[in-house]
Amino acid sequence: MSFPKVVIERDSDSEEESSSEEENDQVDDHQSEEEDDDQVVENDASTSTLGKTKTQPITISLKKFCKVCKRLGHEAGFRGATYIDCPMKPCFLCKMPGHTTVSCPHRVATEYGVIPAPCKGTRNSLEYVFARQLRPHIPAIKPTVVIPDQVNCAVIRYHSRRVTCLEFHPTNNNILLSGDKKGQLGVWDFRRVHEKTVYGNIHGCILNNMKFNQTNDGTVYGASSDGTISCTDLETGMSIGLMDLNPNGWQGPSSWRMLYGLDINSQRGILLAADNFGSLYMVDLRSNRSTGDSVLIHKKGSKVTGLHFHPHQPDLLLSCGNDHFARIWDMRKLEAGSSIYDLPHNRVVNSAYFSPQSGSKILTTSQDNRLRVWDSIFGNLDSPSREIVHSHDFNRHLTPFRAEWDPKDPSECLVVVGRYISENYNGAALHPIDFIDISSGQLVAAVMDPNITTISPVNKLHPREDVLASGSSSSIFIWRPKEKFESELRGDEKRIVLCGKGGKGGKKRRQSDDESDDDMYSSKGKSLKTKKPSLKSTSHGRK
């Protein structure tokens, strides 16, 4: 499809000098990468004499411009819900040449091309311990999977910037905590949708991670890109700074340290955090002070994106970073270069987690559109048991995608992760949230709502109930099973709360770092009062 030409008539009283300079000149002027199309200006020849000036109209023609390879003649990117590949590059989804994203076999079925688990015939002491102590706790038959597939309640434009992390309260089933790019901490009671509050005086910029201490559920610890670790009381909003890596303020990007990875070892009473220079820091939770020196656990100058302790072995630590590695560490010998095992990846590793029940499996999310699974940390770790192709290769103006385990699944097979490439659902371009069985690579379910037109990179499954929390731009949505809660929805007064600027007159735009089209989700209620959520403990049992 060729673009139409636009003819602009020139003024007859134009100066002689300008007309003579533009004589027989054809100008191809490429605009910046931020524009969708290049404009090529072609000035037809204009003849002039000493006494008379003859002018010709200017013809402007638009040519196709590829934003991937920066060449003319073709386009690449989204056209509606369809992603168009650049012919000069391999398939965007599976990174393999020979086909496009539209015809990629992994788009139809994620289990296509999954690398099977190698046969482990070794008989060593670790395999014996695993078979005797851990395997009996893993059920042989998979239980029935319950998928939260309907939006039960939501807060539209809850945060002023995009959501970066979510965490459920460890004892109160209906309290959800959220962090955003501005460093704000939100506390929301999603059973009483109006009972919500946002603490904005804790961090100066991105709140990258939050964790609870099992011994004290009234406080939450956070790691921020301002280089601080905070301990916040959820009732009062008062915060205590446990560490500040930039006490002298901004001294330039080469010295500014940002904290990303964070995890708590309750048995040892320590908190670990990692920065964007590959270093690990330790805080004693009993004295709320940093202890020891920093340890280089990843390549110097690379970001450590995640930390995770083993659920049963407090001495095992899993880390991942921008140096394309996930590493297993022994806390009893935590030194630079002393990792137990290094798990290589092709690109940046966004997250790495032990399985929640036994801790014998490892799940990683990498920027090369791959979910990698190791079935046993006691077996052969040279290669992953499975590589599952999934669309999450994008983090510009988005929180990085991270695949999360379902903590209620005893078979340790179900994970949830948002999808980047949109799908055409009844004419609308939607980005579903995928539930994947990592034992086979099969897509179990893809949940979406026609009113959620933005991407949902942050997803968290409830540890005790069939609830999914998703962060899409600056909004938060709670998903529940449709059949189970259909009767409740009929009697609810209002389940959608609208905050901030939204509502009428909003123009539909592509999601960006600070703006989104969340106002497409309409609010049915009248009152927008905000109440502080109650943090009283409730029952842990699943309904």
Side-chain angles (χ1 to χ4, degrees), residues 469-530:
S470 62
S472 182
S473 186
S474 59
S475 306
I476 300 178
F477 300 89
I478 297 295
W479 303 73
R480 293 176 181 269
K482 182 177 181 180
E483 298 81 5
K484 190 173 182 180
F485 294 94
E486 202 167 20
S487 58
E488 292 185 14
L489 290 174
R490 296 193 191 100
D492 287 342
E493 300 177 2
K494 178 187 177 184
R495 307 299 298 175
I496 308 297
V497 177
L498 184 64
C499 301
K501 298 178 176 177
K504 301 177 181 179
K507 295 182 180 179
K508 184 177 179 180
R509 295 178 295 237
R510 296 287 298 177
Q511 178 179 354
S512 65
D513 195 14
D514 304 323
E515 298 179 352
S516 69
D517 49 4
D518 281 340
D519 49 0
M520 298 297 293
Y521 209 114
S522 60
S523 175
K524 300 179 182 179
K526 298 178 181 179
S527 176
L528 295 179
K529 294 181 181 179
T530 300

Side-chain angles (χ1 to χ4, degrees), residues 216-471:
N216 184 6
D217 60 2
T219 59
V220 63
Y221 296 86
S224 171
S225 290
D226 60 4
T228 62
I229 299 176
S230 63
C231 176
T232 306
D233 186 283
L234 298 180
E235 286 285 352
T236 63
M238 300 297 294
S239 178
I240 302 174
L242 306 184
M243 178 181 292
D244 187 359
L245 301 182
N246 306 297
N248 299 323
W250 176 258
Q251 302 292 329
S254 60
S255 60
W256 185 262
R257 293 183 177 270
M258 299 179 284
L259 292 172
Y260 289 90
L262 176 73
D263 203 7
I264 293 177
N265 191 330
S266 300
Q267 298 184 30
R268 289 182 172 271
I270 58 174
L271 177 147
L272 294 184
D275 65 5
N276 58 324
F277 286 87
S279 298
L280 181 73
Y281 303 88
M282 187 180 301
V283 175
D284 189 347
L285 297 179
R286 293 164 292 188
S287 61
N288 286 337
R289 294 181 181 179
S290 59
T291 59
D293 299 328
S294 61
V295 180
L296 187 67
I297 60 173
H298 281 264
K299 183 180 178 180
K300 187 176 182 180
S302 65
K303 181 195 303 181
V304 182
T305 56
L307 299 172
H308 190 223
F309 277 107
H310 194 279
H312 302 300
Q313 297 294 332
D315 295 325
L316 289 182
L317 174 68
L318 182 62
S319 66
C320 58
N322 279 14
D323 59 352
H324 303 184
F325 278 95
R327 307 179 192 273
I328 304 176
W329 303 85
D330 189 341
M331 291 296 298
R332 294 166 294 188
K333 187 182 178 183
L334 191 60
E335 300 174 356
S338 64
S339 58
I340 299 177
Y341 218 93
D342 298 336
L343 310 177
H345 293 69
N346 295 330
R347 289 184 61 187
V348 174
V349 187
N350 291 340
S351 64
Y353 300 108
F354 289 111
S355 54
Q357 300 287 339
S358 66
S360 61
K361 298 181 181 180
I362 293 177
L363 170 68
T364 64
T365 308
S366 177
Q367 283 291 109
D368 61 353
N369 277 346
R370 296 293 194 278
L371 303 178
R372 290 176 173 83
V373 183
W374 284 263
D375 283 336
S376 175
I377 61 175
F378 305 103
N380 182 16
L381 297 178
D382 293 335
S383 61
S385 304
R386 275 168 299 285
E387 289 184 4
I388 304 172
V389 177
H390 182 266
S391 174
H392 50 258
D393 179 15
F394 193 83
N395 62 355
R396 184 181 181 184
H397 308 311
L398 281 178
T399 303
F401 291 87
R402 298 181 178 93
E404 299 260 357
W405 295 95
D406 183 0
K408 305 179 297 298
D409 180 21
S411 63
E412 298 180 333
C413 293
L414 188 65
V415 301
V416 61
V417 59
R419 191 190 304 181
Y420 169 63
I421 293 183
S422 60
E423 299 291 343
N424 190 353
Y425 292 98
N426 298 325
L430 303 180
H431 303 265
I433 302 172
D434 294 333
F435 288 82
I436 299 176
D437 184 351
I438 60 157
S439 63
S440 61
Q442 183 180 4
L443 180 64
V444 178
V447 300
M448 78 292 294
D449 189 286
N451 294 303
I452 306 177
T453 56
T454 49
I455 305 172
S456 303
V458 186
N459 299 280
K460 195 80 173 181
L461 284 165
H462 200 286
R464 295 171 294 277
E465 295 184 353
D466 296 322
V467 173
L468 168 67
S470 62

